Amino acid sequence: MIEDLVESIVDSVTDKYEREVPAEFIGSRSGRLRAIDDVAYVRFASVYRRFQEATDFVQEVKRLEAKQ
């Protein structure tokens, strides 16, 4: 599943961009990661969203728990 997600992201990047890829474009594809692996998603989100405080991290985990 992870390999499929990575391949899908790579395909969408290469279809749309030739050189530089905006971080927002990559970040906008993170929703599928959440469905595959909650921990990987939170790790990605902590960097992509630039969590400043531990409470930001905890709030994201709580949002994931609420959706399940």
Side-chain angles (χ1 to χ4, degrees):
M1 291 184 90
I2 296 270
E3 293 83 10
D4 295 335
L5 175 59
V6 170
E7 187 174 326
S8 170
I9 292 171
V10 169
D11 288 346
S12 66
V13 165
T14 56
D15 286 347
K16 189 164 184 160
Y17 299 97
E18 288 185 26
R19 293 184 180 212
E20 293 183 30
V21 179
E24 294 82 17
F25 183 81
I26 302 293
S28 69
R29 269 85 186 138
S30 67
R32 286 182 50 202
L33 181 57
R34 180 185 304 172
I36 296 170
D37 187 327
D38 289 341
V39 174
Y41 169 75
V42 171
R43 287 179 176 171
F44 175 82
S46 71
V47 172
Y48 175 68
R49 294 186 183 169
R50 296 184 183 137
F51 291 169
Q52 301 296 316
E53 306 273 332
T55 55
D56 297 336
F57 188 85
V58 171
Q59 288 174 353
E60 188 63 31
V61 171
K62 286 182 179 180
R63 271 188 235 138
L64 284 171
E65 289 175 340
K67 288 184 180 183
Q68 293 180 358

